[in-house]
Amino acid sequence: LEDRPGRPVVLVSFLSPYMVSQLPDVDAYLCTYSYLRPSQVAAARVLTGHAQARGRLPVTIPNMHAFGDGIVPPRAAAVGP
């Protein structure tokens, strides 16, 4: 990662959320928990800005992230009469 100064690095894991522990200096981390095509398409949509990332870790990644860490988009404001 040192040879990419000033350029963000995103790690995408299609199975294990623990992959990030091998590359702790990445700028962002996306885990889909599946290597199947729908997961690949979903990851590509997030990476290209066509979908919003969301979710919480179902595990703790020691010394990095706690169970429940993640991204949960805010709820839309209710529109009423």
Side-chain angles (χ1 to χ4, degrees), residues 10-25:
V10 178
L11 173 63
V12 179
S13 174
F14 290 103
L15 286 176
S16 172
Y18 297 100
M19 181 68 72
V20 72
S21 64
Q22 300 300 311
L23 295 165
D25 295 329

Side-chain angles (χ1 to χ4, degrees), residues 23-72:
L23 295 165
D25 295 329
V26 296
D27 298 299
Y29 179 56
L30 174 65
C31 185
T32 67
Y33 301 97
S34 170
Y35 59 84
L36 299 176
R37 183 167 172 73
S39 296
Q40 295 172 14
V41 170
R45 289 181 48 77
V46 167
L47 293 172
T48 59
H50 290 94
Q52 186 174 19
R54 64 179 184 207
R56 293 183 184 266
L57 281 172
V59 296
T60 293
I61 300 173
N63 302 314
M64 295 189 79
H65 299 287
F67 173 91
D69 280 356
I71 298 173
V72 178

